[in-house]
Amino acid sequence: GVAVGAFPSAVTSLPSVQFPEPEMHSCSRAELEAAILGESLHQSFPQVGCPHTRGTVLGALGLMCEHALGGALVCIADYEAFQAVFCQYSNAPNGAPALRSCDEGYMTGRLRGLHVSDPAFAAAFRDFTRHEAGDRWPEDHPDPGARGRPKDGAILLSTSGYRIKCAVKLLGLCPAATWRNVGTKHEAALSCAWAVQGALVLVRSDSGTLHLVQRRARKLHVYALK
């Protein structure tokens, strides 16, 4: 027979890993926009120097505040910064950070050539974040290319305001901090902000709470919009 103790008991568990917690801030949308523009120094948020980047961040913030109908993750950085982190080959080495499309490239194709400020971008984003049964595009969607595909993953934006990749999983990034009582989307936001140089990451929960995540030196900062 099987010896007693050969299997873990019902009360056996494994420890939860602990990382440093990010520095938490709270601000209004107006305060954050003013800080991005350099019109205020709210909680030492650094001014975004490049005008193209400022426009992109403000545009993405507007999408999250005015058009998102559910959870969403938008990561903004230079193309080269994403390229430096994520493997550029279809057959990534085991464990290497990589991007994997959730929808076989549907959203990436739909947003091709659209600036984040374009109303067509906002309309597509609104559709993407609208909750559907099974978190998938409905089978009767007017666009046959969308039908039945998952509505999941992050949107990666270049600082110029155009999409790099959409509806992608961010695979292989190391955890960077402990953000208590949040889910995997928020954990991915922390990891992306930590790994991708100069990234600004916006993450919205299904309940509507919105945060901006940024790394400065060896510390992650999280701004909760109130």
Side-chain angles (χ1 to χ4, degrees):
V2 178
V4 175
F7 297 102
S9 70
V11 296
T12 301
S13 184
L14 292 171
S16 294
V17 67
Q18 296 295 321
F19 295 98
E21 295 189 14
E23 187 166 330
M24 306 298 294
H25 310 269
S26 179
C27 61
S28 67
R29 177 183 176 182
E31 288 172 328
L32 182 58
E33 288 176 334
I36 291 168
L37 291 169
E39 297 171 356
S40 76
L41 296 177
H42 181 270
Q43 303 214 14
S44 300
F45 188 94
Q47 178 185 1
V48 178
C50 173
H52 293 297
T53 304
R54 284 200 300 269
T56 297
V57 176
L58 292 174
L61 183 59
L63 285 180
M64 288 293 213
C65 292
E66 299 166 21
H67 297 283
L69 301 178
L73 177 61
V74 176
C75 311
I76 304 164
D78 290 331
Y79 175 83
E80 292 79 11
F82 285 120
Q83 190 178 44
V85 172
F86 295 104
C87 181
Q88 300 301 298
Y89 305 99
S90 57
N91 296 320
N94 289 341
L99 303 173
R100 179 183 296 163
S101 175
C102 296
D103 63 359
E104 298 185 27
Y106 169 71
M107 278 298 292
T108 299
R110 182 170 173 179
L111 294 178
R112 182 187 302 275
L114 296 178
H115 191 266
V116 68
S117 63
D118 193 311
F121 194 116
F125 183 77
R126 190 164 51 247
D127 285 348
F128 178 66
T129 58
R130 179 182 290 113
H131 180 70
E132 309 279 1
D135 290 324
R136 292 177 177 271
W137 294 90
E139 293 291 348
D140 60 352
H141 192 274
D143 186 346
R147 295 172 186 170
R149 299 198 183 280
K151 288 185 169 188
D152 196 12
I155 292 178
L156 308 188
L157 288 179
S158 71
T159 51
S160 63
Y162 294 92
R163 67 97 183 102
I164 294 173
K165 201 86 170 171
C166 303
V168 291
K169 295 179 182 179
L170 312 180
L171 304 178
L173 293 178
C174 293
T178 296
W179 189 350
R180 300 184 186 279
N181 302 313
V182 297
T184 55
K185 191 179 273 90
H186 291 71
E187 297 284 356
L190 288 178
S191 296
C192 184
W194 181 265
V196 179
Q197 184 176 3
L200 289 164
V201 182
L202 290 161
V203 58
R204 186 185 190 274
S205 68
D206 290 329
S207 64
T209 59
L210 179 60
H211 296 84
L212 182 145
V213 185
Q214 182 189 45
R215 176 181 178 179
R216 299 208 297 276
R218 303 294 296 175
K219 186 75 173 179
L220 282 163
H221 295 257
V222 174
Y223 293 82
L225 270 70
K226 58 189 178 182

